[in-house]
Amino acid sequence: MENIKITVLNDDRCENELLSHSHGFSLLVETKNAKILFDVGQDNSFVKNAEKLCLSIEDIDCVVLSHGHYDYTDGLKFLKNGTKILFHPECVKWRKSKRTKKYNGIPYGKNEFETRFNVSYSKSPVFICEDICFLGEIERKTDFECKNFPSINKDNTDDTAIDDTGIAIKTTKGLIIISGCGHSGICNTINQAKKITKTNEILAFLGGFHLKEIDEQTKKTVDFLKENNVKQLYLGHCTSDKVCVYFKNKLEKSIKVEILKTGQTINF
Ligand SMILES: [Fe+2]
Protein backbone atom coordinates (compact mmCIF):
# COMPACT_ATOMS: atom_id res chain seq x y z
CA MET A 1 0.00 0.00 0.00
CA GLU A 2 1.11 3.54 -0.76
CA ASN A 3 -0.45 5.06 2.35
CA ILE A 4 -2.63 7.34 0.27
CA LYS A 5 -6.23 7.85 1.29
CA ILE A 6 -8.80 9.79 -0.71
CA THR A 7 -12.25 10.43 0.79
CA VAL A 8 -15.17 11.82 -1.19
CA LEU A 9 -16.57 14.52 1.12
CA ASN A 10 -19.13 15.59 -1.46
CA ASP A 11 -20.32 14.41 -4.86
CA ASP A 12 -23.65 14.57 -6.72
CA ARG A 13 -24.07 10.88 -6.01
CA CYS A 14 -24.70 9.53 -2.51
CA GLU A 15 -26.10 6.25 -1.21
CA ASN A 16 -25.56 6.89 2.50
CA GLU A 17 -28.65 8.55 4.00
CA LEU A 18 -26.67 9.74 7.01
CA LEU A 19 -24.49 11.98 4.82
CA SER A 20 -25.26 15.33 3.19
CA HIS A 21 -24.62 15.91 -0.48
CA SER A 22 -25.22 18.47 -3.19
CA HIS A 23 -24.35 19.16 -6.80
CA GLY A 24 -20.61 19.74 -6.47
CA PHE A 25 -17.34 18.09 -5.58
CA SER A 26 -14.96 17.90 -2.62
CA LEU A 27 -12.23 15.40 -1.73
CA LEU A 28 -9.96 14.99 1.25
CA VAL A 29 -6.56 13.78 0.02
CA GLU A 30 -4.13 12.35 2.58
CA THR A 31 -0.60 11.16 1.79
CA LYS A 32 2.37 10.60 4.09
CA ASN A 33 3.54 14.13 3.24
CA ALA A 34 0.40 16.26 3.20
CA LYS A 35 -3.30 16.53 3.83
CA ILE A 36 -5.25 18.67 1.38
CA LEU A 37 -8.82 19.53 0.56
CA PHE A 38 -9.41 19.37 -3.17
CA ASP A 39 -12.41 21.64 -3.86
CA VAL A 40 -15.11 22.40 -1.31
CA GLY A 41 -18.45 21.94 -3.10
CA GLN A 42 -21.22 24.54 -3.01
CA ASP A 43 -22.35 24.26 0.62
CA ASN A 44 -21.24 22.92 4.00
CA SER A 45 -21.73 19.23 3.08
CA PHE A 46 -17.95 18.69 3.11
CA VAL A 47 -17.70 19.96 6.70
CA LYS A 48 -20.69 17.97 7.96
CA ASN A 49 -19.56 14.78 6.23
CA ALA A 50 -15.99 15.07 7.49
CA GLU A 51 -17.42 15.28 11.01
CA LYS A 52 -19.71 12.28 10.49
CA LEU A 53 -16.84 10.28 9.01
CA CYS A 54 -14.61 11.30 11.97
CA LEU A 55 -12.13 13.04 9.68
CA SER A 56 -10.45 16.26 10.76
CA ILE A 57 -10.21 19.06 8.21
CA GLU A 58 -8.89 21.51 10.81
CA ASP A 59 -5.32 20.39 10.23
CA ILE A 60 -5.17 20.45 6.43
CA ASP A 61 -2.03 21.86 4.80
CA CYS A 62 -4.00 23.69 2.13
CA VAL A 63 -7.08 23.79 -0.08
CA VAL A 64 -6.60 23.33 -3.82
CA LEU A 65 -9.33 24.72 -6.06
CA SER A 66 -9.64 22.98 -9.40
CA HIS A 67 -11.43 26.01 -10.92
CA GLY A 68 -13.72 28.87 -9.99
CA HIS A 69 -17.23 27.51 -10.60
CA TYR A 70 -19.71 27.91 -7.71
CA ASP A 71 -20.33 24.18 -7.29
CA TYR A 72 -16.65 23.75 -6.40
CA THR A 73 -16.10 26.94 -4.41
CA ASP A 74 -19.20 28.24 -2.61
CA GLY A 75 -18.21 26.00 0.31
CA LEU A 76 -15.30 28.40 0.92
CA LYS A 77 -17.75 30.30 3.16
CA PHE A 78 -17.42 27.44 5.66
CA LEU A 79 -13.63 27.51 5.93
CA LYS A 80 -11.86 29.32 8.73
CA ASN A 81 -10.17 32.66 8.02
CA GLY A 82 -6.52 32.41 7.03
CA THR A 83 -6.83 28.99 5.38
CA LYS A 84 -4.14 28.49 2.73
CA ILE A 85 -5.68 28.17 -0.75
CA LEU A 86 -3.89 27.39 -4.01
CA PHE A 87 -5.43 27.97 -7.45
CA HIS A 88 -5.00 29.37 -10.97
CA PRO A 89 -5.27 33.19 -11.05
CA GLU A 90 -8.30 33.12 -13.39
CA CYS A 91 -10.20 31.18 -10.73
CA VAL A 92 -11.41 34.49 -9.26
CA LYS A 93 -12.79 35.87 -12.53
CA TRP A 94 -16.41 36.98 -13.02
CA ARG A 95 -18.47 34.45 -14.98
CA LYS A 96 -22.13 33.73 -15.70
CA SER A 97 -23.90 30.45 -16.46
CA LYS A 98 -25.21 30.04 -20.03
CA ARG A 99 -28.04 27.90 -18.69
CA THR A 100 -29.29 29.87 -15.68
CA LYS A 101 -28.03 33.31 -16.81
CA LYS A 102 -26.84 33.80 -13.21
CA TYR A 103 -23.37 34.52 -11.80
CA ASN A 104 -21.62 31.17 -11.25
CA GLY A 105 -18.13 32.15 -10.11
CA ILE A 106 -16.49 32.03 -6.68
CA PRO A 107 -18.40 33.56 -3.74
CA TYR A 108 -15.90 36.41 -3.14
CA GLY A 109 -14.53 39.38 -5.01
CA LYS A 110 -10.73 39.31 -5.42
CA ASN A 111 -10.05 41.76 -2.55
CA GLU A 112 -12.33 40.07 -0.03
CA PHE A 113 -10.93 36.68 -1.02
CA GLU A 114 -7.34 37.81 -0.51
CA THR A 115 -8.18 39.47 2.82
CA ARG A 116 -9.97 36.49 4.24
CA PHE A 117 -7.67 33.67 3.13
CA ASN A 118 -3.97 32.98 2.67
CA VAL A 119 -4.12 32.77 -1.12
CA SER A 120 -1.51 31.54 -3.61
CA TYR A 121 -2.14 31.94 -7.33
CA SER A 122 -0.15 29.99 -9.87
CA LYS A 123 -0.41 29.44 -13.61
CA SER A 124 2.66 27.24 -13.39
CA PRO A 125 2.79 23.81 -11.79
CA VAL A 126 3.62 23.77 -8.07
CA PHE A 127 4.88 20.85 -6.02
CA ILE A 128 2.81 21.20 -2.82
CA CYS A 129 5.02 18.55 -1.22
CA GLU A 130 7.31 15.80 -2.44
CA ASP A 131 4.49 13.66 -3.82
CA ILE A 132 1.64 16.06 -4.74
CA CYS A 133 1.82 18.40 -7.72
CA PHE A 134 -0.67 21.17 -8.59
CA LEU A 135 -0.80 20.94 -12.38
CA GLY A 136 -1.17 24.66 -13.18
CA GLU A 137 -2.64 25.82 -16.46
CA ILE A 138 -3.33 22.76 -18.59
CA GLU A 139 -1.98 22.79 -22.14
CA ARG A 140 -4.98 22.21 -24.39
CA LYS A 141 -3.57 20.25 -27.29
CA THR A 142 -6.09 17.55 -28.26
CA ASP A 143 -8.45 18.40 -31.13
CA PHE A 144 -11.51 16.70 -29.62
CA GLU A 145 -11.67 18.31 -26.15
CA CYS A 146 -12.57 21.84 -24.94
CA LYS A 147 -15.39 22.36 -27.44
CA ASN A 148 -18.21 23.35 -25.07
CA PHE A 149 -18.14 25.50 -21.96
CA PRO A 150 -20.93 26.22 -19.46
CA SER A 151 -20.19 29.91 -18.77
CA ILE A 152 -19.78 33.25 -20.47
CA ASN A 153 -17.70 36.33 -19.68
CA LYS A 154 -19.03 39.85 -19.01
CA ASP A 155 -18.76 40.68 -22.73
CA ASN A 156 -20.80 37.55 -23.62
CA THR A 157 -17.80 35.70 -25.09
CA ASP A 158 -17.22 32.07 -24.13
CA ASP A 159 -15.55 31.55 -20.74
CA THR A 160 -13.14 28.76 -21.63
CA ALA A 161 -12.49 27.92 -17.95
CA ILE A 162 -8.76 28.31 -18.54
CA ASP A 163 -8.35 28.01 -14.75
CA ASP A 164 -9.50 24.37 -14.81
CA THR A 165 -6.71 22.19 -13.49
CA GLY A 166 -5.98 19.29 -11.16
CA ILE A 167 -3.34 17.55 -9.08
CA ALA A 168 -1.10 14.55 -9.58
CA ILE A 169 0.11 12.31 -6.75
CA LYS A 170 3.31 10.36 -7.33
CA THR A 171 3.31 6.75 -6.17
CA THR A 172 5.62 3.80 -6.74
CA LYS A 173 2.94 2.32 -9.05
CA GLY A 174 2.40 5.44 -11.14
CA LEU A 175 0.42 8.65 -10.93
CA ILE A 176 -2.93 9.25 -9.31
CA ILE A 177 -4.39 12.17 -11.26
CA ILE A 178 -7.38 14.13 -9.95
CA SER A 179 -9.53 16.53 -11.95
CA GLY A 180 -12.30 18.75 -10.69
CA CYS A 181 -14.64 19.34 -13.62
CA GLY A 182 -12.51 18.31 -16.58
CA HIS A 183 -13.14 21.50 -18.59
CA SER A 184 -9.54 21.34 -19.85
CA GLY A 185 -10.12 17.80 -21.09
CA ILE A 186 -9.18 14.58 -19.35
CA CYS A 187 -6.61 13.65 -21.99
CA ASN A 188 -4.99 17.10 -21.86
CA THR A 189 -4.89 16.83 -18.06
CA ILE A 190 -3.23 13.41 -18.20
CA ASN A 191 -0.66 14.65 -20.74
CA GLN A 192 0.14 17.63 -18.52
CA ALA A 193 0.59 15.42 -15.44
CA LYS A 194 2.88 13.04 -17.33
CA LYS A 195 4.99 15.91 -18.65
CA ILE A 196 5.41 17.71 -15.31
CA THR A 197 6.16 14.62 -13.27
CA LYS A 198 8.18 12.92 -16.03
CA THR A 199 6.14 9.79 -15.36
CA ASN A 200 4.30 7.70 -17.95
CA GLU A 201 2.65 5.16 -15.65
CA ILE A 202 -0.86 6.06 -14.52
CA LEU A 203 -2.27 4.17 -11.59
CA ALA A 204 -5.60 6.03 -11.40
CA PHE A 205 -7.63 8.92 -12.71
CA LEU A 206 -10.31 10.32 -10.48
CA GLY A 207 -12.79 13.19 -10.65
CA GLY A 208 -15.29 14.95 -12.86
CA PHE A 209 -14.92 14.12 -16.56
CA HIS A 210 -17.39 16.69 -17.89
CA LEU A 211 -18.68 14.15 -20.38
CA LYS A 212 -22.44 14.01 -20.92
CA GLU A 213 -23.04 12.20 -24.22
CA ILE A 214 -21.62 9.21 -26.09
CA ASP A 215 -20.02 11.51 -28.62
CA GLU A 216 -16.64 11.84 -30.33
CA GLN A 217 -15.00 13.27 -27.20
CA THR A 218 -16.23 10.45 -24.96
CA LYS A 219 -15.19 7.76 -27.46
CA LYS A 220 -11.74 9.26 -28.00
CA THR A 221 -11.26 9.69 -24.25
CA VAL A 222 -11.92 5.96 -23.80
CA ASP A 223 -9.37 5.16 -26.53
CA PHE A 224 -6.85 7.49 -24.87
CA LEU A 225 -7.30 5.85 -21.45
CA LYS A 226 -6.71 2.41 -23.03
CA GLU A 227 -3.64 3.60 -24.93
CA ASN A 228 -2.22 5.11 -21.74
CA ASN A 229 -2.82 1.90 -19.81
CA VAL A 230 -4.63 3.69 -16.99
CA LYS A 231 -5.29 1.03 -14.34
CA GLN A 232 -8.14 2.50 -12.28
CA LEU A 233 -10.87 5.03 -13.07
CA TYR A 234 -13.18 6.78 -10.63
CA LEU A 235 -15.94 8.76 -12.34
CA GLY A 236 -17.50 11.64 -10.42
CA HIS A 237 -19.72 14.72 -10.43
CA CYS A 238 -20.15 15.96 -14.01
CA THR A 239 -19.90 12.52 -15.65
CA SER A 240 -23.41 11.56 -16.80
CA ASP A 241 -24.97 8.19 -15.93
CA LYS A 242 -24.95 7.09 -19.56
CA VAL A 243 -21.27 7.99 -19.94
CA CYS A 244 -20.50 6.01 -16.74
CA VAL A 245 -22.28 2.97 -18.24
CA TYR A 246 -20.40 3.45 -21.54
CA PHE A 247 -17.05 3.63 -19.71
CA LYS A 248 -17.86 0.50 -17.74
CA ASN A 249 -18.91 -1.41 -20.88
CA LYS A 250 -15.88 -0.34 -22.87
CA LEU A 251 -13.19 -0.49 -20.20
CA GLU A 252 -14.15 -2.76 -17.33
CA LYS A 253 -12.47 -5.86 -18.79
CA SER A 254 -9.06 -4.21 -18.61
CA ILE A 255 -9.50 -1.38 -16.08
CA LYS A 256 -11.13 -1.04 -12.68
CA VAL A 257 -14.01 1.43 -13.23
CA GLU A 258 -15.98 2.84 -10.30
CA ILE A 259 -18.56 5.59 -9.93
CA LEU A 260 -17.72 7.95 -7.06
CA LYS A 261 -20.18 8.43 -4.23
CA THR A 262 -20.22 10.77 -1.27
CA GLY A 263 -18.56 9.14 1.73
CA GLN A 264 -16.50 6.69 -0.32
CA THR A 265 -12.89 6.14 0.71
CA ILE A 266 -10.24 4.93 -1.73
CA ASN A 267 -7.00 3.58 -0.34
CA PHE A 268 -3.94 3.22 -2.53
FE1 LIG B 1 -17.11 23.47 -13.69
Side-chain angles (χ1 to χ4, degrees):
M1 291 292 276
E2 301 280 342
N3 259 334
I4 294 165
K5 182 179 166 191
I6 298 174
T7 308
V8 184
L9 294 182
N10 187 50
D11 186 85
D12 296 46
R13 298 179 175 96
C14 183
E15 289 178 353
N16 184 339
E17 287 175 7
L18 299 173
L19 299 177
S20 309
H21 75 288
S22 58
H23 171 69
F25 197 54
S26 177
L27 302 176
L28 182 65
V29 177
E30 298 172 82
T31 75
K32 63 182 188 301
N33 294 309
K35 184 174 187 180
I36 67 171
L37 256 181
F38 183 80
D39 292 317
V40 291
Q42 65 162 298
D43 57 19
N44 63 350
S45 293
F46 74 104
V47 179
K48 290 201 276 188
N49 291 338
E51 207 175 294
K52 282 181 185 153
L53 296 166
C54 300
L55 296 168
S56 171
I57 55 171
E58 289 291 308
D59 57 347
I60 54 167
D61 294 287
C62 71
V63 174
V64 172
L65 297 177
S66 65
H67 67 307
H69 281 150
Y70 80 100
D71 45 340
Y72 286 69
T73 59
D74 269 8
L76 289 169
K77 296 173 203 159
F78 304 96
L79 285 175
K80 64 183 180 191
N81 290 351
T83 300
K84 191 174 173 188
I85 307 180
L86 173 61
F87 50 93
H88 184 288
E90 292 291 311
C91 192
V92 295
K93 70 183 280 188
W94 189 97
R95 51 203 354 154
K96 185 169 86 172
S97 163
K98 286 180 186 170
R99 187 176 59 83
T100 66
K101 314 279 186 249
K102 289 181 182 162
Y103 174 80
N104 70 343
I106 71 162
Y108 297 100
K110 192 168 180 286
N111 288 346
E112 193 186 356
F113 194 34
E114 288 177 353
T115 306
R116 181 159 176 207
F117 299 110
N118 175 5
V119 299
S120 297
Y121 306 80
S122 185
K123 267 191 187 182
S124 307
V126 176
F127 271 89
I128 297 167
C129 60
E130 204 180 305
D131 58 356
I132 305 180
C133 181
F134 171 76
L135 297 177
E137 189 167 308
I138 307 287
E139 285 186 71
R140 298 178 170 190
K141 288 189 166 176
T142 60
D143 60 3
F144 55 91
E145 297 180 298
C146 307
K147 302 276 192 204
N148 296 301
F149 300 100
S151 306
I152 51 172
N153 299 310
K154 269 189 177 154
D155 62 1
N156 282 335
T157 56
D158 240 15
D159 164 24
T160 60
I162 198 68
D163 49 324
D164 180 86
T165 184
I167 58 171
I169 306 168
K170 292 172 84 170
T171 81
T172 57
K173 294 176 195 149
L175 299 174
I176 299 166
I177 306 169
I178 304 178
S179 73
C181 219
H183 297 298
S184 296
I186 299 309
C187 309
N188 285 328
T189 305
I190 289 174
N191 283 335
Q192 175 105 348
K194 285 165 65 176
K195 186 175 161 188
I196 295 165
T197 59
K198 300 181 177 62
T199 308
N200 282 324
E201 297 293 310
I202 300 157
L203 173 59
F205 193 98
L206 195 148
F209 280 58
H210 213 80
L211 296 173
K212 312 286 183 188
E213 302 295 332
I214 316 303
D215 53 15
E216 186 203 17
Q217 185 180 349
T218 296
K219 288 175 182 171
K220 288 193 170 173
T221 301
V222 163
D223 293 342
F224 182 92
L225 293 165
K226 275 188 198 164
E227 283 159 20
N228 277 270
N229 199 20
V230 176
K231 296 184 179 63
Q232 300 177 31
L233 275 184
Y234 298 89
L235 312 163
H237 179 60
C238 48
T239 321
S240 73
D241 289 344
K242 64 179 166 187
V243 167
C244 289
V245 170
Y246 182 78
F247 268 67
K248 274 184 172 278
N249 288 341
K250 290 286 173 187
L251 292 168
E252 215 166 31
K253 276 184 196 147
S254 50
I255 299 176
K256 177 180 178 181
V257 182
E258 279 193 24
I259 299 168
L260 290 177
K261 293 177 184 70
T262 305
Q264 180 179 357
T265 296
I266 306 156
N267 288 295
F268 293 97

